[in-house]
Amino acid sequence: MLSAHPASDTTPASALHPPLFPSLPPHLRTISFIDLETTGLDSSRHEVLEVAILRVDARSLKVLAEYEARVLPTRLADAQPEALAVCGYSDEEWRDALPLPEVLATATPLLAGTLVAGHVPSFDWGFLTEGYRRTGLALPSVDYHRLDTASLAWPLLATGEVESLSLNALAKHFGIQRPTPHRAMADARCALEVARRLAVRMSRGGHMERLLEESGGVS
Protein backbone atom coordinates (compact mmCIF):
# COMPACT_ATOMS: atom_id res chain seq x y z
CA MET A 1 0.00 0.00 0.00
CA LEU A 2 1.39 3.38 -1.05
CA SER A 3 -0.02 6.51 0.52
CA ALA A 4 0.69 9.96 1.81
CA HIS A 5 0.62 9.95 5.57
CA PRO A 6 1.27 13.42 7.01
CA ALA A 7 -0.71 12.65 10.18
CA SER A 8 1.52 9.84 11.44
CA ASP A 9 3.78 12.08 13.52
CA THR A 10 4.00 11.79 17.28
CA THR A 11 6.90 14.10 18.14
CA PRO A 12 5.80 17.64 17.13
CA ALA A 13 7.83 19.18 14.33
CA SER A 14 7.95 22.37 16.41
CA ALA A 15 10.20 20.55 18.89
CA LEU A 16 12.87 20.20 16.21
CA HIS A 17 15.09 23.21 15.73
CA PRO A 18 15.74 24.42 12.17
CA PRO A 19 19.00 23.14 10.67
CA LEU A 20 22.19 25.14 10.97
CA PHE A 21 22.43 25.60 7.22
CA PRO A 22 19.63 27.41 5.36
CA SER A 23 19.61 24.89 2.52
CA LEU A 24 20.46 21.27 1.96
CA PRO A 25 21.69 19.52 -1.20
CA PRO A 26 18.89 17.71 -3.03
CA HIS A 27 19.99 14.25 -1.93
CA LEU A 28 19.72 15.24 1.75
CA ARG A 29 16.32 16.96 1.63
CA THR A 30 14.38 13.75 2.07
CA ILE A 31 15.08 10.66 4.15
CA SER A 32 13.73 7.17 3.58
CA PHE A 33 13.32 5.13 6.74
CA ILE A 34 13.28 1.48 5.70
CA ASP A 35 12.69 -1.82 7.40
CA LEU A 36 12.56 -5.33 5.97
CA GLU A 37 11.55 -8.72 7.26
CA THR A 38 13.44 -11.62 5.70
CA THR A 39 13.63 -15.41 5.69
CA GLY A 40 17.10 -15.30 7.25
CA LEU A 41 20.21 -13.21 7.73
CA ASP A 42 22.15 -14.01 4.55
CA SER A 43 21.08 -11.85 1.59
CA SER A 44 22.76 -14.25 -0.84
CA ARG A 45 20.59 -17.17 0.34
CA HIS A 46 17.51 -15.72 1.98
CA GLU A 47 14.61 -13.63 0.72
CA VAL A 48 12.69 -10.48 1.54
CA LEU A 49 9.30 -11.17 3.12
CA GLU A 50 8.12 -7.66 3.90
CA VAL A 51 9.12 -4.13 2.94
CA ALA A 52 8.23 -0.83 4.59
CA ILE A 53 9.37 2.65 3.57
CA LEU A 54 8.62 6.01 5.16
CA ARG A 55 9.72 8.94 3.02
CA VAL A 56 10.12 11.94 5.31
CA ASP A 57 11.13 15.58 5.10
CA ALA A 58 14.69 15.94 6.37
CA ARG A 59 14.01 19.17 8.25
CA SER A 60 10.75 18.40 10.04
CA LEU A 61 10.95 14.57 9.95
CA LYS A 62 7.30 14.58 8.91
CA VAL A 63 6.11 11.68 6.77
CA LEU A 64 5.54 12.59 3.13
CA ALA A 65 4.59 9.16 1.80
CA GLU A 66 4.71 5.56 2.89
CA TYR A 67 4.66 2.10 1.38
CA GLU A 68 4.39 -1.36 2.83
CA ALA A 69 4.00 -4.72 1.17
CA ARG A 70 4.39 -8.39 1.88
CA VAL A 71 6.61 -10.18 -0.61
CA LEU A 72 5.86 -13.58 -2.08
CA PRO A 73 8.74 -15.93 -1.22
CA THR A 74 9.95 -18.37 -3.88
CA ARG A 75 12.53 -20.38 -1.92
CA LEU A 76 10.96 -21.21 1.43
CA ALA A 77 13.08 -24.36 1.61
CA ASP A 78 16.08 -22.08 2.28
CA ALA A 79 14.33 -20.12 5.02
CA GLN A 80 15.40 -20.23 8.65
CA PRO A 81 12.42 -21.42 10.75
CA GLU A 82 13.23 -18.95 13.52
CA ALA A 83 13.17 -16.06 11.04
CA LEU A 84 9.74 -17.09 9.80
CA ALA A 85 8.50 -17.36 13.36
CA VAL A 86 9.82 -13.92 14.34
CA CYS A 87 7.95 -12.14 11.54
CA GLY A 88 4.83 -14.28 11.87
CA TYR A 89 4.99 -15.83 8.42
CA SER A 90 2.24 -18.20 7.35
CA ASP A 91 0.76 -19.12 3.98
CA GLU A 92 -2.54 -17.62 5.08
CA GLU A 93 -1.05 -14.32 6.24
CA TRP A 94 0.93 -14.01 3.00
CA ARG A 95 -1.90 -15.03 0.68
CA ASP A 96 -2.01 -11.54 -0.88
CA ALA A 97 1.76 -11.08 -1.04
CA LEU A 98 3.22 -9.50 -4.18
CA PRO A 99 6.12 -10.65 -6.36
CA LEU A 100 9.42 -8.99 -5.48
CA PRO A 101 9.79 -7.17 -8.86
CA GLU A 102 6.42 -5.48 -8.35
CA VAL A 103 7.31 -4.42 -4.80
CA LEU A 104 10.69 -3.02 -5.81
CA ALA A 105 9.23 -1.15 -8.78
CA THR A 106 6.81 0.61 -6.42
CA ALA A 107 9.52 1.24 -3.84
CA THR A 108 11.97 2.82 -6.29
CA PRO A 109 10.46 6.33 -6.52
CA LEU A 110 10.20 6.55 -2.72
CA LEU A 111 13.87 5.69 -2.31
CA ALA A 112 15.28 7.65 -5.23
CA GLY A 113 17.21 10.77 -4.30
CA THR A 114 17.02 10.21 -0.55
CA LEU A 115 19.25 9.47 2.41
CA VAL A 116 18.45 5.90 3.50
CA ALA A 117 17.83 5.53 7.22
CA GLY A 118 16.64 3.02 9.78
CA HIS A 119 17.81 0.91 12.67
CA VAL A 120 20.99 -0.74 11.35
CA PRO A 121 19.86 0.03 7.77
CA SER A 122 22.93 -1.63 6.25
CA PHE A 123 21.20 -4.98 6.80
CA ASP A 124 18.01 -3.91 5.05
CA TRP A 125 19.83 -2.10 2.26
CA GLY A 126 21.94 -5.18 1.61
CA PHE A 127 18.80 -7.23 1.01
CA LEU A 128 17.30 -4.52 -1.18
CA THR A 129 20.49 -4.30 -3.23
CA GLU A 130 20.49 -8.05 -3.73
CA GLY A 131 16.79 -7.97 -4.61
CA TYR A 132 17.32 -5.35 -7.28
CA ARG A 133 20.23 -7.38 -8.66
CA ARG A 134 18.20 -10.59 -8.82
CA THR A 135 15.23 -8.94 -10.50
CA GLY A 136 17.32 -6.99 -12.99
CA LEU A 137 15.83 -3.68 -11.89
CA ALA A 138 17.99 -0.59 -11.56
CA LEU A 139 19.04 0.22 -8.01
CA PRO A 140 17.66 3.64 -6.98
CA SER A 141 20.21 6.42 -6.76
CA VAL A 142 20.53 7.32 -3.07
CA ASP A 143 23.03 9.20 -0.94
CA TYR A 144 26.09 7.11 -0.10
CA HIS A 145 25.67 7.75 3.64
CA ARG A 146 23.33 5.69 5.83
CA LEU A 147 21.54 7.24 8.80
CA ASP A 148 21.59 4.62 11.57
CA THR A 149 19.52 5.24 14.69
CA ALA A 150 21.63 2.73 16.61
CA SER A 151 24.76 4.77 15.87
CA LEU A 152 22.99 8.04 16.67
CA ALA A 153 21.98 6.61 20.05
CA TRP A 154 25.50 5.56 21.04
CA PRO A 155 25.91 8.49 23.51
CA LEU A 156 22.98 7.06 25.49
CA LEU A 157 24.91 3.83 25.87
CA ALA A 158 28.12 5.65 26.76
CA THR A 159 26.37 7.61 29.51
CA GLY A 160 24.60 4.54 30.88
CA GLU A 161 21.09 5.67 30.00
CA VAL A 162 20.48 2.49 28.01
CA GLU A 163 21.99 -0.97 28.33
CA SER A 164 21.69 -1.81 24.66
CA LEU A 165 21.39 -0.13 21.27
CA SER A 166 18.62 -2.47 20.19
CA LEU A 167 15.46 -0.89 18.82
CA ASN A 168 13.50 -2.38 21.67
CA ALA A 169 15.82 -0.85 24.30
CA LEU A 170 15.66 2.58 22.68
CA ALA A 171 11.88 2.42 22.32
CA LYS A 172 11.57 1.52 25.99
CA HIS A 173 13.92 4.34 26.99
CA PHE A 174 11.88 6.93 25.08
CA GLY A 175 8.49 5.46 26.04
CA ILE A 176 7.64 4.50 22.47
CA GLN A 177 5.01 1.79 22.15
CA ARG A 178 5.84 -1.23 19.95
CA PRO A 179 2.54 -3.10 19.57
CA THR A 180 3.79 -5.28 16.69
CA PRO A 181 7.60 -5.65 16.82
CA HIS A 182 9.31 -7.40 13.92
CA ARG A 183 6.73 -6.17 11.45
CA ALA A 184 8.29 -3.98 8.82
CA MET A 185 6.12 -0.87 9.03
CA ALA A 186 5.91 -0.96 12.82
CA ASP A 187 9.69 -1.08 13.10
CA ALA A 188 10.19 1.61 10.44
CA ARG A 189 7.86 3.89 12.40
CA CYS A 190 9.66 3.07 15.63
CA ALA A 191 13.05 3.90 14.10
CA LEU A 192 11.68 7.20 12.81
CA GLU A 193 10.29 8.08 16.22
CA VAL A 194 13.62 7.23 17.86
CA ALA A 195 15.31 9.55 15.35
CA ARG A 196 12.87 12.32 16.25
CA ARG A 197 13.51 11.93 19.97
CA LEU A 198 17.27 11.91 19.39
CA ALA A 199 17.04 15.01 17.19
CA VAL A 200 15.22 16.85 19.95
CA ARG A 201 17.84 15.73 22.49
CA MET A 202 20.68 16.85 20.22
CA SER A 203 19.10 20.24 19.59
CA ARG A 204 18.88 20.84 23.34
CA GLY A 205 22.39 19.62 24.13
CA GLY A 206 22.58 16.00 25.20
CA HIS A 207 24.24 14.16 28.04
CA MET A 208 27.28 13.30 25.92
CA GLU A 209 28.53 16.85 26.42
CA ARG A 210 28.30 16.38 30.19
CA LEU A 211 30.14 13.07 29.97
CA LEU A 212 32.96 14.65 27.96
CA GLU A 213 33.20 17.53 30.41
CA GLU A 214 33.47 15.12 33.34
CA SER A 215 36.21 13.15 31.58
CA GLY A 216 38.15 16.26 30.61
CA GLY A 217 37.35 15.88 26.92
CA VAL A 218 35.76 19.33 26.65
CA SER A 219 37.51 22.44 27.92
Side-chain angles (χ1 to χ4, degrees):
M1 178 179 67
L2 176 63
S3 64
H5 199 81
S8 68
D9 300 336
T10 55
T11 297
S14 59
L16 304 174
H17 290 198
L20 178 63
F21 301 105
S23 63
L24 292 170
H27 59 282
L28 294 179
R29 291 174 186 169
T30 51
I31 303 173
S32 292
F33 279 81
I34 65 172
D35 192 88
L36 273 61
E37 298 301 324
T38 65
T39 62
L41 302 177
D42 184 350
S43 62
S44 68
R45 294 180 50 237
H46 300 124
E47 298 180 276
V48 176
L49 281 176
E50 195 172 24
V51 172
I53 302 170
L54 294 169
R55 186 178 175 109
V56 307
D57 178 81
R59 289 184 173 87
S60 66
L61 296 184
K62 293 190 69 173
V63 176
L64 304 174
E66 65 182 52
Y67 176 61
E68 62 177 323
R70 291 176 180 173
V71 181
L72 186 66
T74 60
R75 303 189 315 278
L76 275 178
D78 294 334
Q80 295 177 335
E82 56 271 29
L84 299 180
V86 163
C87 68
Y89 175 85
S90 70
D91 292 342
E92 176 63 20
E93 286 291 319
W94 260 252
R95 65 186 181 280
D96 296 324
L98 302 173
L100 182 61
E102 182 177 340
V103 172
L104 294 182
T106 305
T108 294
L110 275 81
L111 295 168
T114 69
L115 171 65
V116 174
H119 198 74
V120 194
S122 57
F123 173 84
D124 306 275
W125 188 249
F127 268 89
L128 282 179
T129 299
E130 180 63 16
Y132 277 100
R133 187 193 67 78
R134 287 179 179 174
T135 58
L137 296 173
L139 187 69
S141 177
V142 299
D143 187 78
Y144 68 93
H145 296 95
R146 299 289 175 263
L147 186 65
D148 182 2
T149 49
S151 296
L152 290 176
W154 177 82
L156 300 180
L157 185 68
T159 56
E161 292 186 66
V162 296
E163 296 181 353
S164 164
L165 292 177
S166 70
L167 188 57
N168 192 58
L170 295 176
K172 183 178 179 181
H173 174 74
F174 286 119
I176 302 168
Q177 299 297 316
R178 295 188 72 202
T180 52
H182 298 295
R183 296 308 306 269
M185 182 54 77
D187 284 355
R189 290 193 191 285
C190 187
L192 171 58
E193 186 57 28
V194 166
R196 288 173 175 152
R197 306 293 179 93
L198 289 168
V200 171
R201 286 281 297 270
M202 291 174 186
S203 70
R204 293 173 179 168
H207 291 275
M208 196 60 193
E209 183 176 326
R210 172 178 54 80
L211 178 67
L212 290 171
E213 289 174 348
E214 292 173 354
S215 66
V218 173
S219 58

